[in-house]
């Protein structure tokens, strides 16, 4: 596809000057991705973004980018948000909702969007619903990636990311050629603070308490599509495309 799909207006805020056109298929998808940390949701978002031509909008990316800024360039509100993130807790709804509101132009892009990590709570889902209604937009589906808990914990605690280019590795399933060094840019591989075992436990509890009710919320609205998240990323992608195809009857999606 080759078109840049991660947009600075989402990460940094400010005016959205991108004019990403509708995909060649003519079908712009507006999707939410749900799933406990470690189910591979971020990877699927990237693959789906390539395949469907929609922008990948992750609220976690906004916080991580802010965390990489020098401390004197972070607003007090963002500094507070980063504290929650480092402890593996959810950032308060009010702040996250405001960040997404400020970036609403990204939701209007004609190419569609894949929201990854937002909404995380029912109040956030309600805020999104109102925001989309105001913009005259609607979600097409909510993809819920499902995986047994013990698999999730193994995946997360082995994950490493490059401190320079953000490339992802896994000490068991996708090890770098040289221990602790990025294959792509030679940067140092680090463990995300929220991937440490104590933070993982908090995140799983948080997920159960706050995010699992979203499944019921979207099921009631007829938007939920459950996707088993076992297998390789490509297998999970195909499964997702097949499920979307069944839902919407878009003939060429899975084979595009
Ligand atoms: P993620 O990359 O989506 O796992 O997000 C990383 C961290 O950012 C989470 O553990 C939260 O601390 C914070 N975060 C991201 N999105 C949200 C959200 N929608 N609501 C609250 N906190 C969030």
């Amino acid at each position: 596809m080759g078109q840049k799909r991660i947009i600075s207006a989402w990460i940094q805020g400010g005016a959205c000057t991108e004019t990403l056109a509708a995909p060649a298929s003519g079908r712009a998808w507006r999707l939410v991705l749900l799933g406990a940390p470690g189910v591979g949701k971020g990877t699927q978002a990237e693959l789906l973004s390539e395949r469907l031509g929609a922008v990948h909008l992750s609220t976690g990316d906004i916080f991580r980018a802010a965390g990489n800024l020098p401390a004197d360039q972070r607003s007090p509100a963002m500094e507070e948000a980063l504290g929650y993130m480092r402890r593996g807790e959810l950032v308060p709804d009010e702040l996250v909702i405001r960040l997404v509101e400020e970036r609403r132009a990204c939701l209007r892009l004609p190419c569609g969007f894949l929201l990854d990590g937002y909404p995380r709570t029912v109040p956030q889902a309600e805020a999104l619903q109102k925001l989309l209604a105001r913009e005259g937009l609607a979600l097409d589906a909510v993809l819920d990636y499902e995986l047994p808990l013990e698999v999730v914990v193994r995946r997360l605690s082995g994950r490493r990311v490059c401190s320079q280019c953000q490339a992802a590795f896994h000490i068991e399933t996708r090890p770098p050629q040289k221990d602790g060094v990025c294959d792509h840019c030679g940067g140092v591989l680090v463990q995300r603070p929220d991937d440490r075992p104590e933070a993982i436990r908090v995140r799983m509890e948080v997920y159960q308490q706050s995010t699992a009710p979203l499944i019921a919320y979207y099921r009631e609205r007829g938007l939920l599509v459950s996707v088993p998240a076992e297998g390789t990323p490509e297998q999970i992608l195909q499964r997702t495309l097949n499920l979307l195809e069944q839902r919407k009857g878009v003939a060429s999606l899975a084979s595009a």
Side-chain angles (χ1 to χ4, degrees), residues 5-6 31 33-52 54-58 61 64 114-117 143 145 147 155-156 159-161 166-170 173-174 192 195 203 227 229-238 240-241:
R5 293 292 169 190
I6 294 181
L31 303 171
L33 278 69
L34 296 182
V39 296
K41 185 166 47 76
T43 305
Q44 287 307 307
E46 275 168 33
L47 295 174
L48 280 168
S49 172
E50 287 251 317
R51 186 62 77 93
L52 302 179
V55 275
H56 175 189
L57 305 178
S58 150
D61 281 352
R64 276 185 288 280
L114 299 156
L115 268 175
D116 168 12
L143 300 168
Y145 288 94
L147 204 59
R155 276 196 188 177
L156 278 181
R159 187 159 71 171
R160 300 290 181 272
V161 289
Q166 309 301 317
F169 296 85
H170 193 283
T173 55
R174 203 177 162 199
R192 279 170 39 171
D195 279 348
R203 286 167 77 196
V227 190
E230 281 107 5
T232 64
E234 189 55 35
Q235 285 167 337
I236 304 167
L237 172 68
Q238 280 307 318
T240 308
L241 294 174

Side-chain angles (χ1 to χ4, degrees), residues 129-150:
Q129 182 54 34
K130 280 196 199 126
L131 176 59
L132 291 176
R134 261 197 343 256
E135 302 288 335
L137 299 169
L139 292 177
D140 295 300
V142 174
L143 300 168
D144 176 34
Y145 288 94
E146 295 178 329
L147 204 59
L149 182 68
E150 61 280 8

